[in-house]
Amino acid sequence: MEFKEVQPKEIIQHDHPLILEDLQLMYQNYQEDDDDFDDQDLINMQKFECKCDVCGYRIDWYHRYYYRCSQSSCSYSLHKSCRELSTTLRFPAHLVHTLRLKKSLNSWSCHSCLTEHLAGICYHCSTCDYEIDLRCATFAEQTMIHHPGHPHPLTSITLDPIMSKCYACGKKHEGVFYHCSTCFYFSIHVDCVTLPFKLSLEHHVHKLTLSYSFTVIPYHSKCRICVTSISERDWRYKCSKCRYYVHLDCALSRGEPFMSIFSHGTGKSDKNFKAADYPNLLHYPLPDDSYNIIPHHLLRGDYRHFDQIKSDNMHPSHPHPLLLINAPGTLHNPMERIKLLCNGCVRPITTTPLYGCTMRCNFFLHEWCTRLPSELENHPGHPLHPLSLFHSPPSELAYTGFKCNICGLCCNGFGYVCSVCDYLVDVHCGFIPERLTHEAHPNHLLSRVEASSIQSTSSTLACHACGITINGGEFCFRCGFCDFYLDNRCALHLPKTIKNKYDRHRLKLSYSPIENHKSEYFCEVCEEELIPEIWFYHCQECGQSIHSACAPLILRSEQGVNDSLNDWRGVCKFINMKFGRLVTFYRSHPHPMLLIPGTKIHGRCSFCFGELQSLLIFKCYTCKLAFHVSCGPKNPHGRFLGLLGRLMLARKRRIKPKEELEHHETAIVTFYPNEVMRPVTGHWKIVDGQP
């Protein structure tokens, strides 16, 4: 067998100069926000493949560097390792002698892979007559890949599948893994290696980009498909134009018909009920500003005894005659900062007819609130005894209201009570529906269940709207087909749209971050940060957003009520309270006091010196006194230490200087303002759940 020694430059017989190309250069300079970058160019670059004219094997994107002919009309290409061949080689299987680069003039067989060759370039040991082909000589280079998600080369060191945890997706897999010899911890499954750089999902308008880290991880970011948290170290797909993030396996899952359900109503799913079987089914959110379920139930229910206006225009709930008002007149209108609340259901009055007090004492009733059933039987929360309608809370709760046993909210409007057990519910919870549908989960029926009866896979049950834990004794609405829950407050008490004086458009209830909105969200009412992964109101045209709990607080006098994080979630904690009524503590304080929601400007309690913000308080605007409802008398006629005396005694015992408790009383106005096993990357496009 005849071999002739050659030089590397004799192997590369090409007339044109060669250029070293970096296949990943475009990716390294890629900027997601730059519209000058063509996504298709990046996709084509990742799918790049050609043949090496020296060794005859494939050149791909994962080699990263290769040589090409400088002439655009010539397709001559070389591996970087083939272009930079050495004249000598120390081969691991033949370390006794050094192999030299030679050219065989006859047929020969590679001693490493036993491949037969007719002629060609090889590395040869003349002492042992041992030769290997270029593929085996450059095996290490051929098994090595360069991935833009890691700064060091990666090598597959196993032939058989292994079980290991993948760094990219954070999950355990069995299969081929690529490892980094520099970073001990970095090991990545071949499926994650071959993920496409760009991905299209049917339910999102923009292409998603494979992201290897968060520069700044957004607070409370969740996968938009499975609605669970995204780890800051795991790879994910994200949109450069929206606050849209998805797990790798969620983005590429296919064939599971239920997956679209977790996209908060944006995906497609089959309807699991027939509308004809539920003729009285309520569809939420309700379209009107009053978000009132009472008239819907009164129209569909069969009640024998009703509360009603008497012939002399008197109503048992009020000492003065009531006047039926049919003219539009001045109704509840946040655009004009007009607040008109019903004393019965404590909801905005936005339509006529209505009843108003002839003595102008700020007493108003919806027309339907004068026709409430006087008794409710078999209530789901208290089926043992009937519940009777009452127009004002028991005497000791007459001013501060009562706490509803269903929703847990304070209420000073009408309600239903069990005379045996003192079980209290507000009028809305008195008519809590058994089933409903919701726009956030449109094709599946939601059924009323008690949270303690649900066998959840997780330790806690959380509302999909606000993220707050649903306690065991609470009622919630559940999809029997999906892991979807809504507490009764978010399900029933949030309207579809709201109005804001500083936005000429109506703000719509949104169930996830808005498309084409990448910046942070801030509430136009309280001016605090807004977490768009929980429900909120948003105007697409103007980009304005409002916490769902701040929606009823658009009026000037109510701003600054919310304080803690939970106060901004779900519904307003004072949604069932009507404020503005004067209370007189005859023997304790000489001036009338107002029951109001505490804000920051009210400072601290005159008794316990605790914060007043976001709590029910009594306020005297004559003496500038303010104190928690719990610190005051339970009965306005009862005897207790006078406010002024208590205040003087407390001031003597206080530790903090007087200046810390002095507050400016002027109202604050807030304005809204993947031969050698090499990975092959395919181009994925999810359409109707199939790639």
Side-chain angles (χ1 to χ4, degrees):
M1 191 178 300
E2 184 178 358
F3 292 92
K4 176 185 177 183
E5 289 194 19
V6 294
Q7 295 297 319
K9 61 181 180 180
E10 299 178 44
I11 298 174
I12 305 171
Q13 299 177 359
H14 194 67
D15 297 334
H16 309 135
L18 300 179
I19 300 174
L20 180 64
E21 283 283 0
D22 183 353
L23 288 170
Q24 297 179 13
L25 180 62
M26 182 184 294
Y27 179 87
Q28 301 299 325
N29 296 331
Y30 175 69
Q31 297 180 17
E32 292 186 41
D33 299 329
D34 195 341
D35 293 334
D36 293 335
F37 280 87
D38 190 336
D39 287 345
Q40 192 58 45
D41 288 344
L42 290 164
I43 293 172
N44 292 338
M45 187 64 72
Q46 192 180 25
K47 295 173 65 177
F48 174 85
E49 183 181 330
C50 68
K51 184 178 180 180
C52 176
D53 285 274
V54 171
C55 68
Y57 293 106
R58 174 166 61 97
I59 302 172
D60 57 51
W61 187 68
Y62 297 102
H63 283 103
R64 183 171 180 177
Y65 301 104
Y66 84 109
Y67 284 92
R68 69 171 178 85
C69 180
S70 59
Q71 302 297 318
S72 59
S73 59
C74 181
S75 62
Y76 188 85
S77 304
L78 296 174
H79 287 112
K80 184 174 181 293
S81 57
C82 292
R83 173 66 175 82
E84 300 171 358
L85 287 173
S86 173
T87 57
T88 61
L89 175 70
R90 296 287 291 176
F91 191 63
H94 193 77
L95 293 175
V96 291
H97 302 116
T98 298
L99 307 182
R100 305 190 69 84
L101 186 64
K102 296 181 180 181
K103 182 177 182 179
S104 173
L105 304 179
N106 308 101
S107 61
W108 56 282
S109 175
C110 175
H111 283 68
S112 178
C113 63
L114 305 180
T115 301
E116 296 287 341
H117 296 275
L118 296 177
I121 305 299
C122 66
Y123 279 93
H124 179 254
C125 172
S126 58
T127 303
C128 305
D129 196 22
Y130 181 95
E131 56 271 349
I132 61 171
D133 57 26
L134 292 182
R135 175 191 173 189
C136 293
T138 60
F139 179 79
E141 186 73 24
Q142 291 296 316
T143 56
M144 181 183 297
I145 67 170
H146 298 263
H147 197 283
H150 192 71
H152 310 127
L154 306 176
T155 305
S156 179
I157 59 175
T158 59
L159 296 178
D160 297 324
I162 62 173
M163 175 69 76
S164 181
K165 183 178 180 180
C166 176
Y167 177 90
C169 64
K171 298 184 177 182
K172 285 190 175 183
H173 298 269
E174 182 178 9
V176 177
F177 278 79
Y178 283 84
H179 308 268
C180 175
S181 59
T182 304
C183 304
F184 176 76
Y185 65 90
F186 192 87
S187 179
I188 180 171
H189 189 264
V190 67
D191 287 348
C192 291
V193 166
T194 59
L195 288 171
F197 175 57
K198 286 289 183 178
L199 185 70
S200 297
L201 294 182
E202 187 225 357
H203 62 263
H204 190 64
V205 295
H206 309 127
K207 277 188 171 63
L208 304 184
T209 303
L210 182 60
S211 178
Y212 310 117
S213 65
F214 273 127
T215 304
V216 177
I217 183 169
Y219 186 52
H220 279 278
S221 292
K222 293 184 178 181
C223 174
R224 296 284 288 273
I225 293 179
C226 69
V227 204
T228 58
S229 299
I230 296 180
S231 170
E232 58 182 286
R233 63 167 278 178
D234 293 344
W235 295 4
R236 85 283 305 161
Y237 278 100
K238 69 177 182 179
C239 177
S240 61
K241 296 179 173 63
C242 312
R243 186 161 165 167
Y244 189 100
Y245 312 96
V246 292
H247 292 116
L248 301 183
D249 50 353
C250 289
L252 302 176
S253 291
R254 55 207 186 271
E256 296 89 345
F258 60 87
M259 285 304 296
S260 63
I261 295 166
F262 298 126
S263 60
H264 286 284
T266 58
K268 295 180 179 179
S269 58
D270 296 329
K271 210 168 187 177
N272 71 341
F273 69 96
K274 295 180 180 180
D277 295 337
Y278 304 93
N280 296 326
L281 192 64
L282 289 172
H283 307 280
Y284 287 83
L286 297 176
D288 61 307
D289 289 340
S290 65
Y291 38 100
N292 206 318
I293 66 174
I294 296 177
H296 300 276
H297 284 281
L298 293 181
L299 289 174
R300 299 168 181 177
D302 181 18
Y303 303 106
R304 292 173 293 178
H305 302 287
F306 295 89
D307 193 17
Q308 58 186 342
I309 297 289
K310 298 179 180 179
S311 58
D312 57 356
N313 295 328
M314 298 298 291
H315 189 267
S317 64
H318 194 63
H320 306 144
L322 300 181
L323 178 65
L324 181 63
I325 304 172
N326 280 302
T330 304
L331 299 176
H332 183 85
N333 188 357
M335 303 292 283
E336 300 294 334
R337 294 202 176 276
I338 298 172
K339 184 175 183 178
L340 186 64
L341 298 182
C342 173
N343 282 67
C345 64
V346 202
R347 290 293 184 271
I349 300 180
T350 58
T351 60
T352 58
L354 70 143
Y355 283 92
C357 178
T358 57
M359 304 300 289
R360 299 184 178 181
C361 57
N362 195 32
F363 185 92
F364 299 93
L365 287 176
H366 287 107
E367 188 275 335
W368 57 71
C369 285
T370 66
R371 297 185 289 108
L372 291 170
S374 57
E375 189 174 88
L376 297 178
E377 296 181 352
N378 299 317
H379 188 276
H382 194 73
L384 296 177
H385 308 120
L387 303 181
S388 302
L389 176 69
F390 63 87
H391 301 113
S392 62
S395 58
E396 67 273 12
L397 302 173
Y399 297 95
T400 60
F402 64 95
K403 185 176 181 179
C404 176
N405 285 81
I406 296 293
C407 65
L409 298 173
C410 290
C411 176
N412 60 357
F414 295 178
Y416 287 91
V417 62
C418 171
S419 58
V420 178
C421 309
D422 290 333
Y423 184 88
L424 292 163
V425 295
D426 61 57
V427 289
H428 299 279
C429 292
F431 300 99
I432 184 170
E434 183 179 1
R435 298 179 186 88
L436 56 85
T437 60
H438 201 286
E439 186 181 52
H441 202 73
N443 293 326
H444 292 176
L445 201 65
L446 303 181
S447 302
R448 182 191 67 220
V449 294
E450 192 172 346
S452 59
S453 67
I454 302 174
Q455 298 296 324
S456 177
T457 55
S458 60
S459 57
T460 60
L461 208 63
C463 173
H464 277 64
C466 62
I468 297 177
T469 300
I470 303 174
N471 296 321
E474 292 185 43
F475 280 109
C476 65
F477 290 90
R478 174 197 185 192
C479 174
F481 191 65
C482 316
D483 191 26
F484 185 90
Y485 307 93
L486 292 177
D487 63 40
N488 70 302
R489 295 177 295 274
C490 295
L492 305 179
H493 297 328
L494 295 177
K496 189 170 185 176
T497 61
I498 61 169
K499 294 179 182 178
N500 180 7
K501 180 179 180 181
Y502 295 100
D503 194 334
R504 59 190 180 92
H505 312 105
R506 297 185 71 91
L507 285 78
K508 184 180 179 182
L509 184 61
S510 302
Y511 312 114
S512 58
I514 305 300
E515 292 182 350
N516 295 315
H517 190 293
K518 187 181 180 182
S519 59
E520 297 298 322
Y521 295 74
F522 291 90
C523 177
E524 301 295 331
V525 174
C526 67
E527 294 188 341
E528 297 291 340
E529 186 177 0
L530 184 150
I531 303 171
E533 283 76 18
I534 64 178
W535 293 7
F536 66 107
Y537 287 93
H538 185 80
C539 174
Q540 190 89 46
E541 291 83 357
C542 303
Q544 294 196 14
S545 306
I546 294 178
H547 289 115
S548 59
C550 289
L553 306 178
I554 292 175
L555 300 179
R556 187 194 308 270
S557 62
E558 295 175 316
Q559 294 182 33
V561 170
N562 292 335
D563 181 20
S564 68
L565 176 63
N566 284 345
D567 286 343
W568 299 326
R569 297 183 179 214
V571 302
C572 177
K573 63 192 298 183
F574 299 129
I575 196 174
N576 287 337
M577 296 292 291
K578 181 174 180 178
F579 300 105
R581 182 179 180 183
L582 288 171
V583 180
T584 302
F585 301 97
Y586 296 102
R587 300 179 181 179
S588 307
H589 192 70
H591 310 127
M593 307 191 79
L594 277 174
L595 175 70
I596 59 175
T599 64
K600 189 175 183 178
I601 64 171
H602 292 128
R604 294 179 178 269
C605 176
S606 298
F607 286 165
C608 69
F609 303 107
E611 293 286 350
L612 294 176
Q613 185 175 5
S614 195
L615 298 171
L616 287 175
I617 69 172
F618 285 116
K619 172 73 176 180
C620 175
Y621 284 92
T622 304
C623 300
K624 308 301 181 184
L625 294 179
F627 55 91
H628 298 113
V629 164
S630 58
C631 291
K634 305 304 178 185
N635 187 338
H637 300 280
R639 294 186 178 185
F640 75 114
L641 187 60
L643 284 178
L644 293 176
R646 289 282 297 274
L647 177 60
M648 294 177 63
L649 180 61
R651 284 179 175 173
K652 291 180 181 180
R653 296 176 177 175
R654 61 188 297 197
I655 300 176
K656 296 184 179 181
K658 178 180 179 180
E659 290 76 10
E660 292 186 16
L661 296 183
E662 291 182 349
H663 300 275
H664 186 62
E665 294 296 334
T666 303
I668 296 177
V669 179
T670 303
F671 293 92
Y672 305 86
N674 180 53
E675 336 209 346
V676 173
M677 297 296 293
R678 294 196 58 77
V680 178
T681 301
H683 174 46
W684 293 63
K685 182 175 183 181
I686 304 298
V687 178
D688 294 332
Q690 295 291 337

